[in-house]
Amino acid sequence: MSRPNYVQRNIMILDRLDRKILNVLQRDGRIANADLAEKIGLSPSACLRRMRALEEARVIDSYVALLDQRKLGRRMDVFVEISLTGQSKETLESFERAVARSEEIMECFLMAGDADYILRLTAADPIDFERIHRDHLSQLPGVLRMKSSFAIRPIVKRTALPLSETADAADR
């Protein structure tokens, strides 16, 4: 199996066919290999070899089903800015371990700026958010301050990364 090419910083160089494969998979992760091969103009065996190389290189991280949170009763997106009591390695690691254990927290980003972290979570309604705040957020270690913002509605919500023809050239 051919090995993917890398440039500095462990960034994979994608050719036109790799980008085509990834663009199709980002829209339809369940597409059959034969159908994918036909869409991008490769034989099924060559397409499968490329997919496996992309998986092995962890460019394709995983295959998941994206659920509609609103249809499941999670109508609110809440963004919570967290400031910690300190910046010691122990404080940061303790906080991050606790966040990773909480299924209520959908995303967590270490930030530069006013907040140390920004969390995104979903809630059914204000009463559900109160429960999440009481049972999860207030239990996080090392928290000095929390500031919650409620999203009114999403304007753009993408899961597909842009894979333009110039993407790999810009990273070289």
Side-chain angles (χ1 to χ4, degrees), residues 20 25 29 31 33 39 61-62 75 78-79 113 133 142 153:
K20 279 182 158 183
L25 287 175
I31 190 169
N33 182 60
K39 276 188 182 234
D61 189 45
S62 63
R75 293 180 301 277
V78 184
F79 295 88
H133 187 278
R153 67 181 167 91

Side-chain angles (χ1 to χ4, degrees), residues 20-21 24-25 31-41 47 51:
K20 279 182 158 183
I21 289 169
V24 171
L25 287 175
I31 190 169
N33 182 60
D35 295 335
L36 176 60
E38 184 178 324
K39 276 188 182 234
I40 63 168
C47 183
M51 278 186 51

Side-chain angles (χ1 to χ4, degrees), residues 64-70 72-80 82 95-96 98-110 117-124 128-129 131-132 136-137 140 151 157-159:
V64 299
L66 299 175
L67 307 180
D68 185 329
Q69 72 185 58
R70 281 152 181 74
L72 297 170
R74 313 287 294 180
R75 293 180 301 277
M76 294 177 63
D77 280 302
V78 184
F79 295 88
V80 182
I82 304 280
F95 176 82
E96 290 175 10
V99 165
R101 286 191 303 268
S102 176
E103 291 183 3
E104 301 288 347
I105 297 169
M106 303 304 296
E107 295 179 274
C108 175
F109 297 92
L110 176 63
Y117 292 90
I118 292 183
L119 312 179
R120 183 182 72 83
L121 54 98
T122 64
D128 189 37
F129 176 69
R131 175 194 60 80
I132 294 167
H136 297 279
L137 298 179
L140 293 171
K157 188 173 183 178
R158 295 185 179 99
T159 60

Side-chain angles (χ1 to χ4, degrees), residues 43-58:
S43 70
S45 60
C47 183
L48 187 58
R49 275 193 304 276
R50 282 178 172 267
M51 278 186 51
R52 287 194 176 138
L54 291 164
E55 290 167 350
E56 189 175 300
R58 304 288 296 162

